[in-house]
PDB file of all heavy atoms in Angstrom:
ATOM      1  N   VAL L   1    -256.469  77.592 -74.276  1.00 81.00           N
ATOM      2  CA  VAL L   1    -256.041  78.270 -75.499  1.00 81.00           C
ATOM      3  C   VAL L   1    -256.477  79.740 -75.521  1.00 81.00           C
ATOM      4  O   VAL L   1    -255.799  80.592 -76.100  1.00 81.00           O
ATOM      5  CB  VAL L   1    -256.569  77.508 -76.740  1.00 81.00           C
ATOM      6  CG1 VAL L   1    -258.095  77.551 -76.799  1.00 81.00           C
ATOM      7  CG2 VAL L   1    -255.967  78.074 -78.020  1.00 81.00           C
ATOM      8  N   SER L   2    -257.583  80.064 -74.869  1.00 84.00           N
ATOM      9  CA  SER L   2    -258.085  81.437 -74.912  1.00 84.00           C
ATOM     10  C   SER L   2    -257.233  82.410 -74.109  1.00 84.00           C
ATOM     11  O   SER L   2    -257.292  83.624 -74.334  1.00 84.00           O
ATOM     12  CB  SER L   2    -259.536  81.486 -74.412  1.00 84.00           C
ATOM     13  OG  SER L   2    -259.610  81.036 -73.067  1.00 84.00           O
ATOM     14  N   VAL L   3    -256.452  81.903 -73.177  1.00 86.00           N
ATOM     15  CA  VAL L   3    -255.616  82.788 -72.349  1.00 86.00           C
ATOM     16  C   VAL L   3    -254.131  82.510 -72.533  1.00 86.00           C
ATOM     17  O   VAL L   3    -253.299  83.145 -71.890  1.00 86.00           O
ATOM     18  CB  VAL L   3    -255.979  82.643 -70.846  1.00 86.00           C
ATOM     19  CG1 VAL L   3    -257.399  83.115 -70.607  1.00 86.00           C
ATOM     20  CG2 VAL L   3    -255.796  81.216 -70.376  1.00 86.00           C
ATOM     21  N   CYS L   4    -253.786  81.598 -73.409  1.00 84.00           N
ATOM     22  CA  CYS L   4    -252.387  81.220 -73.596  1.00 84.00           C
ATOM     23  C   CYS L   4    -251.631  82.316 -74.353  1.00 84.00           C
ATOM     24  O   CYS L   4    -252.175  82.973 -75.254  1.00 84.00           O
ATOM     25  CB  CYS L   4    -252.301  79.902 -74.353  1.00 84.00           C
ATOM     26  SG  CYS L   4    -250.605  79.327 -74.632  1.00 84.00           S
ATOM     27  N   ARG L   5    -250.373  82.501 -74.002  1.00 79.00           N
ATOM     28  CA  ARG L   5    -249.535  83.494 -74.682  1.00 79.00           C
ATOM     29  C   ARG L   5    -249.022  82.987 -76.030  1.00 79.00           C
ATOM     30  O   ARG L   5    -248.488  83.757 -76.815  1.00 79.00           O
ATOM     31  CB  ARG L   5    -248.331  83.857 -73.802  1.00 79.00           C
ATOM     32  CG  ARG L   5    -248.711  84.561 -72.523  1.00 79.00           C
ATOM     33  CD  ARG L   5    -247.472  84.999 -71.750  1.00 79.00           C
ATOM     34  NE  ARG L   5    -246.766  83.869 -71.157  1.00 79.00           N
ATOM     35  CZ  ARG L   5    -245.528  83.526 -71.454  1.00 79.00           C
ATOM     36  NH1 ARG L   5    -244.857  84.172 -72.372  1.00 79.00           N
ATOM     37  NH2 ARG L   5    -244.951  82.513 -70.835  1.00 79.00           N
ATOM     38  N   PHE L   6    -249.150  81.682 -76.267  1.00 83.00           N
ATOM     39  CA  PHE L   6    -248.595  81.093 -77.488  1.00 83.00           C
ATOM     40  C   PHE L   6    -249.585  81.261 -78.638  1.00 83.00           C
ATOM     41  O   PHE L   6    -250.774  80.936 -78.508  1.00 83.00           O
ATOM     42  CB  PHE L   6    -248.311  79.604 -77.261  1.00 83.00           C
ATOM     43  CG  PHE L   6    -247.542  78.963 -78.380  1.00 83.00           C
ATOM     44  CD1 PHE L   6    -246.160  78.977 -78.393  1.00 83.00           C
ATOM     45  CD2 PHE L   6    -248.203  78.354 -79.432  1.00 83.00           C
ATOM     46  CE1 PHE L   6    -245.447  78.395 -79.428  1.00 83.00           C
ATOM     47  CE2 PHE L   6    -247.502  77.758 -80.462  1.00 83.00           C
ATOM     48  CZ  PHE L   6    -246.124  77.787 -80.463  1.00 83.00           C
ATOM     49  N   GLU L   7    -249.109  81.744 -79.768  1.00 80.00           N
ATOM     50  CA  GLU L   7    -249.954  81.923 -80.944  1.00 80.00           C
ATOM     51  C   GLU L   7    -249.497  80.970 -82.032  1.00 80.00           C
ATOM     52  O   GLU L   7    -248.397  81.095 -82.576  1.00 80.00           O
ATOM     53  CB  GLU L   7    -249.880  83.368 -81.449  1.00 80.00           C
ATOM     54  CG  GLU L   7    -250.435  84.385 -80.460  1.00 80.00           C
ATOM     55  CD  GLU L   7    -250.469  85.784 -81.055  1.00 80.00           C
ATOM     56  OE1 GLU L   7    -250.674  85.909 -82.282  1.00 80.00           O
ATOM     57  OE2 GLU L   7    -250.265  86.746 -80.291  1.00 80.00           O
ATOM     58  N   VAL L   8    -250.350  80.013 -82.343  1.00 75.00           N
ATOM     59  CA  VAL L   8    -250.041  79.032 -83.383  1.00 75.00           C
ATOM     60  C   VAL L   8    -249.893  79.749 -84.724  1.00 75.00           C
ATOM     61  O   VAL L   8    -250.738  80.560 -85.104  1.00 75.00           O
ATOM     62  CB  VAL L   8    -251.142  77.956 -83.461  1.00 75.00           C
ATOM     63  CG1 VAL L   8    -250.839  76.977 -84.592  1.00 75.00           C
ATOM     64  CG2 VAL L   8    -251.260  77.222 -82.135  1.00 75.00           C
ATOM     65  N   GLY L   9    -248.830  79.450 -85.437  1.00 74.00           N
ATOM     66  CA  GLY L   9    -248.577  80.088 -86.723  1.00 74.00           C
ATOM     67  C   GLY L   9    -247.677  81.298 -86.615  1.00 74.00           C
ATOM     68  O   GLY L   9    -247.125  81.752 -87.625  1.00 74.00           O
ATOM     69  N   VAL L  10    -247.548  81.831 -85.408  1.00 74.00           N
ATOM     70  CA  VAL L  10    -246.679  82.987 -85.189  1.00 74.00           C
ATOM     71  C   VAL L  10    -245.446  82.578 -84.388  1.00 74.00           C
ATOM     72  O   VAL L  10    -244.315  82.931 -84.735  1.00 74.00           O
ATOM     73  CB  VAL L  10    -247.433  84.116 -84.461  1.00 74.00           C
ATOM     74  CG1 VAL L  10    -246.490  85.290 -84.171  1.00 74.00           C
ATOM     75  CG2 VAL L  10    -248.627  84.567 -85.283  1.00 74.00           C
ATOM     76  N   CYS L  11    -245.676  81.832 -83.311  1.00 74.00           N
ATOM     77  CA  CYS L  11    -244.574  81.379 -82.465  1.00 74.00           C
ATOM     78  C   CYS L  11    -244.031  80.044 -82.979  1.00 74.00           C
ATOM     79  O   CYS L  11    -244.746  79.266 -83.612  1.00 74.00           O
ATOM     80  CB  CYS L  11    -245.044  81.217 -81.018  1.00 74.00           C
ATOM     81  SG  CYS L  11    -245.744  82.733 -80.314  1.00 74.00           S
ATOM     82  N   ASP L  12    -242.768  79.798 -82.694  1.00 80.00           N
ATOM     83  CA  ASP L  12    -242.142  78.550 -83.104  1.00 80.00           C
ATOM     84  C   ASP L  12    -242.584  77.406 -82.201  1.00 80.00           C
ATOM     85  O   ASP L  12    -242.660  77.548 -80.981  1.00 80.00           O
ATOM     86  CB  ASP L  12    -240.614  78.669 -83.037  1.00 80.00           C
ATOM     87  CG  ASP L  12    -240.071  79.589 -84.107  1.00 80.00           C
ATOM     88  OD1 ASP L  12    -240.732  79.707 -85.158  1.00 80.00           O
ATOM     89  OD2 ASP L  12    -238.997  80.187 -83.897  1.00 80.00           O
ATOM     90  N   MET L  13    -242.867  76.265 -82.805  1.00 85.00           N
ATOM     91  CA  MET L  13    -243.220  75.059 -82.052  1.00 85.00           C
ATOM     92  C   MET L  13    -242.038  74.102 -82.089  1.00 85.00           C
ATOM     93  O   MET L  13    -241.155  74.208 -82.946  1.00 85.00           O
ATOM     94  CB  MET L  13    -244.460  74.380 -82.644  1.00 85.00           C
ATOM     95  CG  MET L  13    -245.687  75.252 -82.760  1.00 85.00           C
ATOM     96  SD  MET L  13    -247.147  74.319 -83.268  1.00 85.00           S
ATOM     97  CE  MET L  13    -247.621  73.554 -81.738  1.00 85.00           C
ATOM     98  N   ARG L  14    -242.020  73.197 -81.151  1.00 89.00           N
ATOM     99  CA  ARG L  14    -241.035  72.106 -81.207  1.00 89.00           C
ATOM    100  C   ARG L  14    -241.539  71.091 -82.216  1.00 89.00           C
ATOM    101  O   ARG L  14    -242.511  70.382 -81.965  1.00 89.00           O
ATOM    102  CB  ARG L  14    -240.873  71.451 -79.835  1.00 89.00           C
ATOM    103  CG  ARG L  14    -240.183  72.319 -78.812  1.00 89.00           C
ATOM    104  CD  ARG L  14    -239.943  71.537 -77.534  1.00 89.00           C
ATOM    105  NE  ARG L  14    -241.202  71.146 -76.920  1.00 89.00           N
ATOM    106  CZ  ARG L  14    -241.444  69.941 -76.379  1.00 89.00           C
ATOM    107  NH1 ARG L  14    -240.516  69.001 -76.406  1.00 89.00           N
ATOM    108  NH2 ARG L  14    -242.598  69.679 -75.816  1.00 89.00           N
ATOM    109  N   ARG L  15    -240.903  71.001 -83.334  1.00 91.00           N
ATOM    110  CA  ARG L  15    -241.348  70.093 -84.390  1.00 91.00           C
ATOM    111  C   ARG L  15    -240.613  68.766 -84.234  1.00 91.00           C
ATOM    112  O   ARG L  15    -239.402  68.687 -84.456  1.00 91.00           O
ATOM    113  CB  ARG L  15    -241.120  70.706 -85.769  1.00 91.00           C
ATOM    114  CG  ARG L  15    -241.895  72.002 -85.964  1.00 91.00           C
ATOM    115  CD  ARG L  15    -241.800  72.551 -87.361  1.00 91.00           C
ATOM    116  NE  ARG L  15    -242.547  73.783 -87.495  1.00 91.00           N
ATOM    117  CZ  ARG L  15    -243.863  73.850 -87.727  1.00 91.00           C
ATOM    118  NH1 ARG L  15    -244.559  72.726 -87.879  1.00 91.00           N
ATOM    119  NH2 ARG L  15    -244.465  75.026 -87.820  1.00 91.00           N
ATOM    120  N   LEU L  16    -241.353  67.746 -83.853  1.00 93.00           N
ATOM    121  CA  LEU L  16    -240.789  66.429 -83.591  1.00 93.00           C
ATOM    122  C   LEU L  16    -241.022  65.507 -84.783  1.00 93.00           C
ATOM    123  O   LEU L  16    -242.041  65.602 -85.474  1.00 93.00           O
ATOM    124  CB  LEU L  16    -241.412  65.826 -82.332  1.00 93.00           C
ATOM    125  CG  LEU L  16    -241.320  66.683 -81.064  1.00 93.00           C
ATOM    126  CD1 LEU L  16    -241.984  65.965 -79.895  1.00 93.00           C
ATOM    127  CD2 LEU L  16    -239.869  67.016 -80.738  1.00 93.00           C
ATOM    128  N   VAL L  17    -240.085  64.619 -84.995  1.00 92.00           N
ATOM    129  CA  VAL L  17    -240.144  63.704 -86.136  1.00 92.00           C
ATOM    130  C   VAL L  17    -241.058  62.523 -85.813  1.00 92.00           C
ATOM    131  O   VAL L  17    -240.816  61.804 -84.835  1.00 92.00           O
ATOM    132  CB  VAL L  17    -238.737  63.175 -86.470  1.00 92.00           C
ATOM    133  CG1 VAL L  17    -238.795  62.231 -87.674  1.00 92.00           C
ATOM    134  CG2 VAL L  17    -237.775  64.317 -86.728  1.00 92.00           C
ATOM    135  N   PRO L  18    -242.131  62.303 -86.588  1.00 94.00           N
ATOM    136  CA  PRO L  18    -242.946  61.095 -86.388  1.00 94.00           C
ATOM    137  C   PRO L  18    -242.109  59.858 -86.715  1.00 94.00           C
ATOM    138  O   PRO L  18    -241.378  59.845 -87.713  1.00 94.00           O
ATOM    139  CB  PRO L  18    -244.102  61.261 -87.377  1.00 94.00           C
ATOM    140  CG  PRO L  18    -244.077  62.707 -87.778  1.00 94.00           C
ATOM    141  CD  PRO L  18    -242.651  63.146 -87.677  1.00 94.00           C
ATOM    142  N   LEU L  19    -242.200  58.840 -85.907  1.00 95.00           N
ATOM    143  CA  LEU L  19    -241.393  57.640 -86.088  1.00 95.00           C
ATOM    144  C   LEU L  19    -242.254  56.396 -86.148  1.00 95.00           C
ATOM    145  O   LEU L  19    -243.171  56.234 -85.344  1.00 95.00           O
ATOM    146  CB  LEU L  19    -240.388  57.491 -84.928  1.00 95.00           C
ATOM    147  CG  LEU L  19    -239.355  58.600 -84.747  1.00 95.00           C
ATOM    148  CD1 LEU L  19    -238.584  58.389 -83.463  1.00 95.00           C
ATOM    149  CD2 LEU L  19    -238.415  58.654 -85.941  1.00 95.00           C
ATOM    150  N   ARG L  20    -241.949  55.539 -87.114  1.00 94.00           N
ATOM    151  CA  ARG L  20    -242.562  54.222 -87.113  1.00 94.00           C
ATOM    152  C   ARG L  20    -241.967  53.400 -85.970  1.00 94.00           C
ATOM    153  O   ARG L  20    -240.901  53.726 -85.456  1.00 94.00           O
ATOM    154  CB  ARG L  20    -242.323  53.523 -88.450  1.00 94.00           C
ATOM    155  CG  ARG L  20    -243.010  54.209 -89.625  1.00 94.00           C
ATOM    156  CD  ARG L  20    -242.686  53.509 -90.923  1.00 94.00           C
ATOM    157  NE  ARG L  20    -241.242  53.525 -91.195  1.00 94.00           N
ATOM    158  CZ  ARG L  20    -240.680  52.945 -92.231  1.00 94.00           C
ATOM    159  NH1 ARG L  20    -241.416  52.281 -93.113  1.00 94.00           N
ATOM    160  NH2 ARG L  20    -239.375  53.017 -92.417  1.00 94.00           N
ATOM    161  N   ARG L  21    -242.652  52.338 -85.597  1.00 94.00           N
ATOM    162  CA  ARG L  21    -242.214  51.535 -84.455  1.00 94.00           C
ATOM    163  C   ARG L  21    -240.780  51.042 -84.631  1.00 94.00           C
ATOM    164  O   ARG L  21    -239.970  51.111 -83.702  1.00 94.00           O
ATOM    165  CB  ARG L  21    -243.162  50.346 -84.271  1.00 94.00           C
ATOM    166  CG  ARG L  21    -242.827  49.467 -83.064  1.00 94.00           C
ATOM    167  CD  ARG L  21    -243.828  48.331 -82.944  1.00 94.00           C
ATOM    168  NE  ARG L  21    -243.452  47.388 -81.902  1.00 94.00           N
ATOM    169  CZ  ARG L  21    -243.727  47.534 -80.635  1.00 94.00           C
ATOM    170  NH1 ARG L  21    -244.394  48.591 -80.230  1.00 94.00           N
ATOM    171  NH2 ARG L  21    -243.353  46.625 -79.754  1.00 94.00           N
ATOM    172  N   LYS L  22    -240.443  50.559 -85.825  1.00 94.00           N
ATOM    173  CA  LYS L  22    -239.094  50.055 -86.075  1.00 94.00           C
ATOM    174  C   LYS L  22    -238.062  51.159 -85.907  1.00 94.00           C
ATOM    175  O   LYS L  22    -237.019  50.958 -85.265  1.00 94.00           O
ATOM    176  CB  LYS L  22    -239.013  49.472 -87.489  1.00 94.00           C
ATOM    177  CG  LYS L  22    -237.629  48.962 -87.862  1.00 94.00           C
ATOM    178  CD  LYS L  22    -237.606  48.438 -89.296  1.00 94.00           C
ATOM    179  CE  LYS L  22    -236.205  47.979 -89.673  1.00 94.00           C
ATOM    180  NZ  LYS L  22    -236.153  47.497 -91.075  1.00 94.00           N
ATOM    181  N   ASP L  23    -238.344  52.329 -86.482  1.00 95.00           N
ATOM    182  CA  ASP L  23    -237.401  53.442 -86.384  1.00 95.00           C
ATOM    183  C   ASP L  23    -237.259  53.925 -84.943  1.00 95.00           C
ATOM    184  O   ASP L  23    -236.154  54.273 -84.496  1.00 95.00           O
ATOM    185  CB  ASP L  23    -237.864  54.598 -87.273  1.00 95.00           C
ATOM    186  CG  ASP L  23    -237.879  54.213 -88.751  1.00 95.00           C
ATOM    187  OD1 ASP L  23    -237.065  53.349 -89.126  1.00 95.00           O
ATOM    188  OD2 ASP L  23    -238.696  54.762 -89.499  1.00 95.00           O
ATOM    189  N   ALA L  24    -238.383  53.941 -84.211  1.00 95.00           N
ATOM    190  CA  ALA L  24    -238.327  54.362 -82.806  1.00 95.00           C
ATOM    191  C   ALA L  24    -237.474  53.408 -81.993  1.00 95.00           C
ATOM    192  O   ALA L  24    -236.679  53.834 -81.139  1.00 95.00           O
ATOM    193  CB  ALA L  24    -239.741  54.439 -82.235  1.00 95.00           C
ATOM    194  N   MET L  25    -237.608  52.101 -82.248  1.00 94.00           N
ATOM    195  CA  MET L  25    -236.798  51.111 -81.530  1.00 94.00           C
ATOM    196  C   MET L  25    -235.317  51.341 -81.788  1.00 94.00           C
ATOM    197  O   MET L  25    -234.494  51.271 -80.868  1.00 94.00           O
ATOM    198  CB  MET L  25    -237.193  49.698 -81.956  1.00 94.00           C
ATOM    199  CG  MET L  25    -238.506  49.207 -81.390  1.00 94.00           C
ATOM    200  SD  MET L  25    -238.847  47.506 -81.920  1.00 94.00           S
ATOM    201  CE  MET L  25    -240.248  47.101 -80.882  1.00 94.00           C
ATOM    202  N   GLU L  26    -234.969  51.609 -83.040  1.00 94.00           N
ATOM    203  CA  GLU L  26    -233.568  51.820 -83.386  1.00 94.00           C
ATOM    204  C   GLU L  26    -233.021  53.071 -82.695  1.00 94.00           C
ATOM    205  O   GLU L  26    -231.917  53.051 -82.134  1.00 94.00           O
ATOM    206  CB  GLU L  26    -233.423  51.944 -84.902  1.00 94.00           C
ATOM    207  CG  GLU L  26    -233.694  50.642 -85.652  1.00 94.00           C
ATOM    208  CD  GLU L  26    -233.622  50.808 -87.159  1.00 94.00           C
ATOM    209  OE1 GLU L  26    -233.489  51.981 -87.612  1.00 94.00           O
ATOM    210  OE2 GLU L  26    -233.694  49.799 -87.878  1.00 94.00           O
ATOM    211  N   ARG L  27    -233.789  54.153 -82.704  1.00 95.00           N
ATOM    212  CA  ARG L  27    -233.314  55.390 -82.083  1.00 95.00           C
ATOM    213  C   ARG L  27    -233.235  55.260 -80.561  1.00 95.00           C
ATOM    214  O   ARG L  27    -232.318  55.810 -79.934  1.00 95.00           O
ATOM    215  CB  ARG L  27    -234.238  56.547 -82.470  1.00 95.00           C
ATOM    216  CG  ARG L  27    -234.185  56.900 -83.937  1.00 95.00           C
ATOM    217  CD  ARG L  27    -234.640  58.321 -84.149  1.00 95.00           C
ATOM    218  NE  ARG L  27    -234.669  58.677 -85.562  1.00 95.00           N
ATOM    219  CZ  ARG L  27    -234.795  59.917 -85.998  1.00 95.00           C
ATOM    220  NH1 ARG L  27    -234.888  60.918 -85.134  1.00 95.00           N
ATOM    221  NH2 ARG L  27    -234.826  60.176 -87.280  1.00 95.00           N
ATOM    222  N   ILE L  28    -234.204  54.577 -79.975  1.00 95.00           N
ATOM    223  CA  ILE L  28    -234.179  54.377 -78.521  1.00 95.00           C
ATOM    224  C   ILE L  28    -232.951  53.573 -78.123  1.00 95.00           C
ATOM    225  O   ILE L  28    -232.261  53.896 -77.153  1.00 95.00           O
ATOM    226  CB  ILE L  28    -235.471  53.680 -78.058  1.00 95.00           C
ATOM    227  CG1 ILE L  28    -236.646  54.656 -78.096  1.00 95.00           C
ATOM    228  CG2 ILE L  28    -235.309  53.110 -76.646  1.00 95.00           C
ATOM    229  CD1 ILE L  28    -237.986  54.018 -77.823  1.00 95.00           C
ATOM    230  N   THR L  29    -232.652  52.530 -78.884  1.00 94.00           N
ATOM    231  CA  THR L  29    -231.491  51.699 -78.591  1.00 94.00           C
ATOM    232  C   THR L  29    -230.204  52.506 -78.709  1.00 94.00           C
ATOM    233  O   THR L  29    -229.313  52.405 -77.859  1.00 94.00           O
ATOM    234  CB  THR L  29    -231.451  50.489 -79.535  1.00 94.00           C
ATOM    235  OG1 THR L  29    -232.672  49.741 -79.406  1.00 94.00           O
ATOM    236  CG2 THR L  29    -230.286  49.573 -79.196  1.00 94.00           C
ATOM    237  N   GLU L  30    -230.100  53.320 -79.762  1.00 93.00           N
ATOM    238  CA  GLU L  30    -228.908  54.158 -79.944  1.00 93.00           C
ATOM    239  C   GLU L  30    -228.785  55.184 -78.822  1.00 93.00           C
ATOM    240  O   GLU L  30    -227.699  55.401 -78.277  1.00 93.00           O
ATOM    241  CB  GLU L  30    -228.978  54.854 -81.304  1.00 93.00           C
ATOM    242  CG  GLU L  30    -228.875  53.909 -82.490  1.00 93.00           C
ATOM    243  CD  GLU L  30    -229.134  54.609 -83.801  1.00 93.00           C
ATOM    244  OE1 GLU L  30    -229.420  55.841 -83.767  1.00 93.00           O
ATOM    245  OE2 GLU L  30    -229.091  53.957 -84.862  1.00 93.00           O
ATOM    246  N   ALA L  31    -229.907  55.827 -78.469  1.00 89.00           N
ATOM    247  CA  ALA L  31    -229.870  56.865 -77.441  1.00 89.00           C
ATOM    248  C   ALA L  31    -229.511  56.278 -76.085  1.00 89.00           C
ATOM    249  O   ALA L  31    -228.753  56.874 -75.310  1.00 89.00           O
ATOM    250  CB  ALA L  31    -231.220  57.579 -77.367  1.00 89.00           C
ATOM    251  N   ALA L  32    -230.043  55.087 -75.780  1.00 83.00           N
ATOM    252  CA  ALA L  32    -229.744  54.456 -74.499  1.00 83.00           C
ATOM    253  C   ALA L  32    -228.289  54.035 -74.414  1.00 83.00           C
ATOM    254  O   ALA L  32    -227.694  54.021 -73.333  1.00 83.00           O
ATOM    255  CB  ALA L  32    -230.658  53.245 -74.290  1.00 83.00           C
ATOM    256  N   ALA L  33    -227.707  53.699 -75.580  1.00 83.00           N
ATOM    257  CA  ALA L  33    -226.317  53.231 -75.591  1.00 83.00           C
ATOM    258  C   ALA L  33    -225.323  54.374 -75.413  1.00 83.00           C
ATOM    259  O   ALA L  33    -224.317  54.234 -74.716  1.00 83.00           O
ATOM    260  CB  ALA L  33    -226.029  52.482 -76.887  1.00 83.00           C
ATOM    261  N   VAL L  34    -225.603  55.518 -76.010  1.00 75.00           N
ATOM    262  CA  VAL L  34    -224.633  56.618 -75.981  1.00 75.00           C
ATOM    263  C   VAL L  34    -225.076  57.783 -75.113  1.00 75.00           C
ATOM    264  O   VAL L  34    -224.340  58.745 -74.927  1.00 75.00           O
ATOM    265  CB  VAL L  34    -224.344  57.120 -77.415  1.00 75.00           C
ATOM    266  CG1 VAL L  34    -223.778  56.012 -78.257  1.00 75.00           C
ATOM    267  CG2 VAL L  34    -225.603  57.702 -78.046  1.00 75.00           C
ATOM    268  N   GLY L  35    -226.310  57.715 -74.592  1.00 67.00           N
ATOM    269  CA  GLY L  35    -226.787  58.768 -73.704  1.00 67.00           C
ATOM    270  C   GLY L  35    -227.131  60.049 -74.391  1.00 67.00           C
ATOM    271  O   GLY L  35    -227.130  61.120 -73.799  1.00 67.00           O
ATOM    272  N   THR L  36    -227.478  59.994 -75.698  1.00 46.00           N
ATOM    273  CA  THR L  36    -227.842  61.195 -76.429  1.00 46.00           C
ATOM    274  C   THR L  36    -229.291  61.545 -76.165  1.00 46.00           C
ATOM    275  O   THR L  36    -230.095  60.699 -75.784  1.00 46.00           O
ATOM    276  CB  THR L  36    -227.633  60.992 -77.935  1.00 46.00           C
ATOM    277  OG1 THR L  36    -228.406  59.862 -78.377  1.00 46.00           O
ATOM    278  CG2 THR L  36    -226.186  60.762 -78.239  1.00 46.00           C
ATOM    279  N   GLU L  37    -229.631  62.794 -76.423  1.00 47.00           N
ATOM    280  CA  GLU L  37    -230.994  63.244 -76.259  1.00 47.00           C
ATOM    281  C   GLU L  37    -231.725  63.164 -77.598  1.00 47.00           C
ATOM    282  O   GLU L  37    -231.120  63.001 -78.645  1.00 47.00           O
ATOM    283  CB  GLU L  37    -231.025  64.691 -75.745  1.00 47.00           C
ATOM    284  CG  GLU L  37    -230.373  64.838 -74.367  1.00 47.00           C
ATOM    285  CD  GLU L  37    -230.527  66.249 -73.831  1.00 47.00           C
ATOM    286  OE1 GLU L  37    -231.208  67.048 -74.513  1.00 47.00           O
ATOM    287  OE2 GLU L  37    -229.994  66.531 -72.762  1.00 47.00           O
ATOM    288  N   THR L  38    -233.050  63.253 -77.528  1.00 43.00           N
ATOM    289  CA  THR L  38    -233.849  63.209 -78.742  1.00 43.00           C
ATOM    290  C   THR L  38    -233.610  64.476 -79.547  1.00 43.00           C
ATOM    291  O   THR L  38    -233.181  65.496 -79.047  1.00 43.00           O
ATOM    292  CB  THR L  38    -235.324  63.092 -78.395  1.00 43.00           C
ATOM    293  OG1 THR L  38    -235.692  64.199 -77.567  1.00 43.00           O
ATOM    294  CG2 THR L  38    -235.614  61.807 -77.667  1.00 43.00           C
ATOM    295  N   ASP L  39    -233.926  64.387 -80.839  1.00 44.00           N
ATOM    296  CA  ASP L  39    -233.715  65.528 -81.723  1.00 44.00           C
ATOM    297  C   ASP L  39    -235.031  65.987 -82.329  1.00 44.00           C
ATOM    298  O   ASP L  39    -236.012  65.269 -82.339  1.00 44.00           O
ATOM    299  CB  ASP L  39    -232.734  65.164 -82.844  1.00 44.00           C
ATOM    300  CG  ASP L  39    -233.235  64.009 -83.677  1.00 44.00           C
ATOM    301  OD1 ASP L  39    -233.960  63.148 -83.143  1.00 44.00           O
ATOM    302  OD2 ASP L  39    -232.908  63.965 -84.870  1.00 44.00           O
TER     303      ASP L  39
END
């Protein structure tokens, strides 16, 4: 972190959606069926 170019709070982060186990199973099944990427 002391030499990283990324500054938390200034640079944009990849904000990922936390998923419960049930929701993750549903999204994984959908993604595997249609070949979509995560969002």
Side-chain angles (χ1 to χ4, degrees):
V1 65
S2 61
V3 295
C4 180
R5 295 185 288 118
F6 189 88
E7 296 186 33
V8 177
V10 177
C11 303
D12 290 333
M13 304 187 79
R14 290 186 296 138
R15 299 186 180 277
L16 305 180
V17 181
L19 299 172
R20 295 177 299 177
R21 182 179 173 84
K22 178 182 178 181
D23 297 331
M25 285 182 170
E26 291 177 353
R27 293 203 183 193
I28 286 173
T29 303
E30 293 172 359
V34 300
T36 57
E37 298 185 4
T38 58
D39 59 330

